[in-house]
Amino acid sequence: MNAEADDLDGLDPDDPRPASQQIANVLRAAILTRRFQPGERLPSQNELADRYGVARETVKSALRTLREERLIVTRQGSGAFVRAQTERPVGLRPHIEAAFERQHVSIDFAGFSSETLHGALSEPLDKIRAGRLTPESIAIRILVPDHSKPAAVPSAAEGPEADKAVRDRATRISRRHSEAIIDSVRELGDLGLVRSASCEVRQHGTAVLFKVYILNNAEAFFGFYPVVRHSVTINHESVPIYDVMGKDVPLFQFAAGDDEDDMPTQYVQQARAWFDSVWNTIARKQTA
């Protein structure tokens, strides 16, 4: 359970260091000694300001220090949280589930297919059906390549004769997961469990070598797709192909905070701008 602001050590009146530095030191010690567990929320800025009798700007300065040390992440509208895995890749599923605790849920995904997203959505959507989560709206946008067009990946590794069959296979995989997501989200709206529920898929003609998730316009997750050569079965034959492997790709988290000049905040902003630029220009609605 989280420590309360009143449980934290006080400031030393004989310490010549600024109050913001002293507050940062107190919070750092509480984090490193696990009084605040990884993933837990810190007391709010107002609570900390009241505890130490300082202005919110002083508290914001202390939190900025901890964020720069990668001990915490700040999320717009939610507060500051102890970083779950400092300097390590993060798992997507718990962040997807946390995103559904908000009143209005938005998820933008760009990648090779929506297979991982499909798996990560299963539990929060089940919780909505069971009445354990009650968002008012869900809006999901999925941006994937158009596999009907030749690209570097996926492609046949030996000779062009199998290339179309390789691309048809990728199309089936991508469509299977995206259509399952669409059906699940729309069902929630049809049942009246969510006031507004939408899921749209658009395709583009470029090869994809990375994936991006943007949750509630406040968190971005980025991962690289390694390109591999392996064999798959098509029409009962083993076909060597060049492909990307993405199901277990490490993801790196960037959470937007209150500081516009903060690097994670800027990353989230640029990720949103990039996604919108592709969505609104070269992407086209997925065809039947």
Side-chain angles (χ1 to χ4, degrees):
M1 183 175 179
N2 284 18
E4 302 291 338
D6 290 343
D7 298 330
L8 296 170
D9 295 338
L11 303 184
D12 183 353
D14 296 324
D15 192 328
R17 291 174 294 184
S20 61
Q21 186 174 346
Q22 291 191 57
I23 294 171
N25 291 345
V26 170
L27 292 173
R28 183 187 301 106
I31 291 170
L32 295 179
T33 58
R34 297 300 179 102
R35 292 174 68 185
F36 290 109
Q37 295 294 319
E40 287 188 343
R41 181 181 178 277
L42 297 181
S44 70
Q45 292 182 16
N46 286 336
E47 290 170 337
L48 290 171
D50 290 342
R51 168 69 178 92
Y52 294 111
V54 298
R56 279 189 62 191
E57 287 301 317
T58 301
V59 173
K60 288 175 67 174
S61 178
L63 296 177
R64 187 180 304 116
T65 297
L66 299 179
R67 191 168 60 244
E68 290 172 352
E69 295 175 3
R70 299 185 63 78
L71 289 173
I72 66 170
V73 294
T74 54
R75 301 170 186 164
Q76 289 177 330
S78 298
F81 296 78
V82 179
R83 185 176 288 275
Q85 295 181 331
T86 304
E87 300 293 350
R88 295 181 180 179
V90 299
L92 178 68
R93 190 178 297 269
H95 295 276
I96 291 279
E97 294 177 7
F100 276 83
E101 296 175 0
R102 301 291 294 272
Q103 189 174 18
H104 301 287
V105 181
S106 70
I107 298 176
D108 291 337
F109 166 75
F112 190 76
S113 77
S114 51
E115 181 177 1
T116 302
L117 177 62
H118 181 201
L121 286 172
S122 59
E123 186 164 348
L125 296 186
D126 283 344
K127 288 182 178 179
I128 292 174
R129 295 186 190 97
R132 294 163 59 192
L133 288 174
T134 57
E136 288 190 16
S137 69
I138 301 172
I140 299 176
R141 297 189 296 176
I142 298 172
L143 194 58
V144 291
D146 181 356
H147 295 299
S148 68
K149 301 177 180 180
V153 287
S155 63
E158 297 177 1
E161 61 276 0
D163 207 55
K164 184 178 185 304
V166 171
R167 290 186 278 110
D168 288 345
R169 172 183 176 273
T171 296
R172 290 193 298 272
I173 293 172
S174 180
R175 191 179 297 274
R176 180 169 68 245
H177 293 288
S178 63
E179 289 182 349
I181 295 171
I182 291 172
D183 290 343
S184 296
V185 171
R186 287 180 178 173
E187 179 190 40
L188 297 178
D190 293 341
L191 293 173
L193 298 174
V194 178
R195 188 176 65 184
S196 173
S198 67
C199 181
E200 185 177 356
V201 181
R202 292 188 184 181
Q203 299 173 311
H204 56 85
T206 60
V208 171
L209 298 177
F210 63 86
K211 63 167 64 177
V212 175
Y213 299 84
I214 305 170
L215 309 184
N216 291 335
N217 290 319
E219 291 182 280
F221 299 81
F222 178 90
F224 293 101
Y225 285 131
V227 179
V228 299
R229 174 178 168 137
H230 68 123
S231 294
V232 298
T233 300
I234 300 177
N235 297 328
H236 309 292
E237 293 185 5
S238 178
V239 178
I241 69 172
Y242 291 119
D243 202 1
V244 297
M245 304 301 284
K247 190 173 183 181
D248 297 315
V249 165
L251 294 173
F252 296 89
Q253 177 193 20
F254 300 85
D258 298 324
D259 188 347
E260 291 283 333
D261 296 326
D262 181 50
M263 190 277 287
T265 299
Q266 292 184 3
Y267 185 94
V268 174
Q269 293 172 345
Q270 290 303 308
R272 292 197 315 240
W274 173 84
F275 187 98
D276 288 337
S277 72
V278 177
W279 185 267
N280 295 320
T281 56
I282 61 174
R284 298 291 181 267
K285 188 175 180 180
Q286 178 175 270
T287 57

